[in-house]
C-alpha cells in the first residue's frame, strides 16, 4: 500500500545537518526525541525524516526510497541522478573551483592541458574540461584533496571553497570558479498527488520563513512634510502604514524593508527627516 507520509532525507551529520533541521523547525514541523535515529516521524505533520550521508541522498530520492531531500547542488551534479530541484534554500553556500600552487603562473584554463588534477568531483570536473577543450588527467581522491600538490600527486586541484582559508594554508590559489552551489530541496520525479500536496504545504511554510529572513520590519517617526519622500523610499509589502503621533505635525511610518540595501536606505531616510528608527526581525511573511 502506498503510504501518505512524505519521507525527507537529510544529512545525518555535517555542514547541512543543523540548518536542515532548523528550517523544519522554523516551518513549525516538530521533530521530538531527535537522537540520530535513522528514521523518525514528525509530531505534527505527515513527514518522516531519514538521516543519511549526503552522498546517498540523490540516489535515495531518485529511487523513491525517500520522496524529497535536502542536499548540496555539488553532490547532485556529481551524482548524475535525475531529480527535480524544487527550491534553493539559501544555506550551505560554497563554490567549486580550480586551484594551483600559489607561485605557479596561470593565464587561462588552457594552461592545465596535460596536467594532473586531483578531485573528489571527477564528473563535474570532466564535464567542465570537455566544455573548455582542456585535455587534463583527472585523479579521483576521496578526501584531503588540498594536500595533493604539495606531495607532487597533482599539479592542480578542483574542490569546494568557502572562505578560501584551506587553500591558503596549503599554499594554493584559486584560479577559476567552475560552479556555485548551495543546499537545495530535491524531489523524486514521480511523486503521488498526495505527496505533492504535502510538499506544497512544506514549501509554503519554508518560503514564508526564508522571505522573512531576508526582510526587516522598520518603524520610524517623521514630520508630516517629510512623509512623501519617506514613503517613496519605503515600498513595503503593499505600501507603508502611516499613523499620526500624539505630537502635532508628526507621524509614525511602519513597513517591511529588504535586508540587502537596508543600511543604504537608513542613511537616506535619516537625511529625509526620519527619527527614532527601529529595525526588527520578522518571523514569517505570508505575502
Ligand atoms: O558525512 P557526509 O558524507 O554526509 O558529509 P561530507 O563530509 O561529505 O560533507 P560536509 O558536511 O563537509 O558538507 C556538506 C555540504 O556542505 C557540501 O556538499 C557542500 O554542498 C556544502 N559546503 C559548504 C561545504 C563547504 N561549504 C566547505 N567549506 N562542503 C565542504 N567544505 C570544505 C571543503 O571541502 C574544503 O575542504 O571546507 C573546506 C574549504 O573551506 P574554506 O572555508 O577553508 O574555503
Ligand atoms: Zn559526503
Amino acid at each position: 500500500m502506498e503510504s501518505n507520509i512524505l519521507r525527507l532525507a537529510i544529512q545525518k551529520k555535517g555542514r547541512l545537518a543543523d540548518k536542515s533541521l532548523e528550517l523544519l523547525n522554523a516551518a513549525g514541523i516538530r521533530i521530538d526525541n531527535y537522537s540520530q535515529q535513522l528514521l523518525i516521524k514528525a509530531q505534527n505533520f505527515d513527514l518522516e525524516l531519514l538521516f543519511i550521508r549526503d552522498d546517498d541522498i540523490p540516489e535515495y530520492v531518485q529511487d523513491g526510497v525517500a520522496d524529497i531531500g535536502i542536499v548540496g547542488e555539488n553532490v547532485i551534479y556529481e551524482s548524475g541522478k535525475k531529480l527535480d530541484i524544487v527550491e534553493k534554500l539559501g544555506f550551505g553556500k560554497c563554490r567549486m573551483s580550480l586551484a594551483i600552487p600559489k607561485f605557479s603562473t596561470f593565464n587561462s584554463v588552457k594552461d592545465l592541458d596535460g596536467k594532473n588534477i586531483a578531485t573528489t568531483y571527477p564528473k563535474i570536473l570532466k564535464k567542465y574540461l570537455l566544455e573548455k577543450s582542456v585535455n587534463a588527467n583527472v585523479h579521483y581522491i576521496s578526501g584531503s584533496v588540498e594536500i595533493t600538490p604539495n606531495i607532487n600527486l597533482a599539479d592542480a586541484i578542483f574542490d569546494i571553497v568557502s572562505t578560501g582559508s584551506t587553500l591558503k594554508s596549503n599554499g594554493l590559489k584559486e584560479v577559476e570558479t567552475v560552479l556555485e552551489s548551495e543546499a537545495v530541496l530535491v524531489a523524486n520525479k514521480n511523486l503521488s498527488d498526495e505527496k505533492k500536496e504535502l510538499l506544497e504545504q512544506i514549501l509554503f511554510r519554508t518560503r514564508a520563513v526564508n522571505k522573512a529572513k531576508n526582510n526587516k520590519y522598520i518603524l520610524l517617526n517623521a514630520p508630516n512634510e517629510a512623509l512623501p519622500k519617506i514613503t517613496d523610499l519605503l515600498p513595503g509589502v503593499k505600501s507603508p502604514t502611516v499613523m499620526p503621533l500624539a505630537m502635532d505635525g508628526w507621524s509614525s511610518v511602519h513597513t517591511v524593508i529588504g535586508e540587502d540595501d537596508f543600511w543604504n536606505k537608513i542613511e537616506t531616510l535619516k537625511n529625509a527627516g526620519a527619527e527614532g528608527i527601529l529595525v526588527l526581525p520578522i518571523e514569517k511573511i505570508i505575502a
Side-chain angles (χ1 to χ4, degrees):
M1 199 190 72
E2 176 88 344
S3 112
N4 276 330
I5 292 183
L6 193 69
R7 187 181 283 176
L8 165 66
I10 63 171
Q11 192 187 27
K12 183 178 166 77
K13 210 172 90 210
R15 285 189 163 83
L16 305 183
D18 288 349
K19 287 269 168 60
S20 303
L21 286 170
E22 265 169 37
L23 185 69
L24 295 175
N25 187 34
I29 297 174
R30 269 183 35 219
I31 319 288
D32 291 349
N33 304 319
Y34 167 67
S35 58
Q36 297 284 335
Q37 294 176 55
L38 180 65
L39 193 63
I40 187 163
K41 165 89 177 65
Q43 299 293 304
N44 56 353
F45 201 94
D46 286 335
L47 179 78
E48 61 187 5
L49 299 190
L50 181 66
F51 294 92
I52 51 180
R53 286 199 53 192
D54 68 344
D55 313 72
D56 295 332
I57 293 175
E59 185 169 349
Y60 274 48
V61 174
Q62 178 191 265
D63 298 349
V65 177
D67 301 305
I68 57 176
I70 295 177
V71 65
E73 289 170 288
N74 53 311
V75 175
I76 300 170
Y77 299 142
E78 187 59 30
S79 77
K81 303 291 179 203
K82 294 192 170 47
L83 306 163
D84 284 335
I85 296 184
V86 180
E87 186 94 337
K88 294 200 180 227
L89 297 174
F91 59 87
K93 287 190 178 173
C94 56
R95 54 193 188 274
M96 306 205 65
S97 296
L98 285 160
I100 61 171
K102 66 176 171 195
F103 297 119
S104 307
T105 55
F106 184 88
N107 299 306
S108 81
V109 280
K110 268 291 182 193
D111 295 356
L112 297 173
D113 252 325
K115 297 284 167 63
N116 296 313
I117 312 176
T119 186
T120 314
Y121 295 87
K123 218 179 245 172
I124 297 173
L125 176 58
K126 282 178 184 165
K127 183 164 174 274
Y128 175 79
L129 294 173
L130 196 68
E131 273 165 20
K132 299 281 173 185
S133 308
V134 175
N135 237 318
N137 309 308
V138 174
H139 296 275
Y140 172 78
I141 308 275
S142 67
S144 303
V145 168
E146 64 278 0
I147 65 163
T148 56
N150 290 320
I151 53 176
N152 291 326
L153 247 170
D155 306 300
I157 66 164
F158 173 62
D159 202 4
I160 291 175
V161 184
S162 163
T163 60
S165 66
T166 302
L167 293 183
K168 206 166 172 202
S169 62
N170 284 282
L172 303 172
K173 62 178 176 188
E174 191 176 355
V175 289
E176 201 79 22
T177 302
V178 172
L179 179 80
E180 307 271 350
S181 173
E182 68 184 86
V184 291
L185 186 68
V186 290
N188 177 275
K189 286 192 165 289
N190 303 303
L191 289 187
S192 67
D193 288 346
E194 289 82 358
K195 286 183 175 176
K196 274 188 194 144
E197 174 59 33
L198 288 169
L199 173 58
E200 281 306 318
Q201 287 176 30
I202 293 177
L203 281 172
F204 178 80
R205 295 178 180 202
T206 55
R207 280 175 188 153
V209 172
N210 277 335
K211 192 158 181 209
K213 243 188 240 161
N214 298 328
N215 287 279
K216 298 277 180 254
Y217 191 76
I218 174 166
L219 303 94
L220 58 85
N221 297 329
N224 288 345
E225 59 271 19
L227 287 177
K229 196 160 181 198
I230 287 176
T231 50
D232 249 18
L233 287 164
L234 298 171
V237 174
K238 253 211 172 79
S239 81
T241 309
V242 180
M243 288 178 287
L245 289 186
M247 194 193 331
D248 241 6
W250 279 74
S251 294
S252 163
V253 180
H254 298 201
T255 195
V256 171
I257 175 171
E259 168 93 83
D260 288 348
D261 62 348
F262 100 102
W263 283 114
N264 291 335
K265 281 226 167 139
I266 279 172
E267 249 344 278
T268 338
L269 287 168
K270 270 172 63 187
N271 294 337
E275 289 181 12
I277 304 174
L278 297 182
V279 179
L280 310 174
I282 302 172
E283 203 169 280
K284 292 173 187 80
I285 296 182
I286 322 287

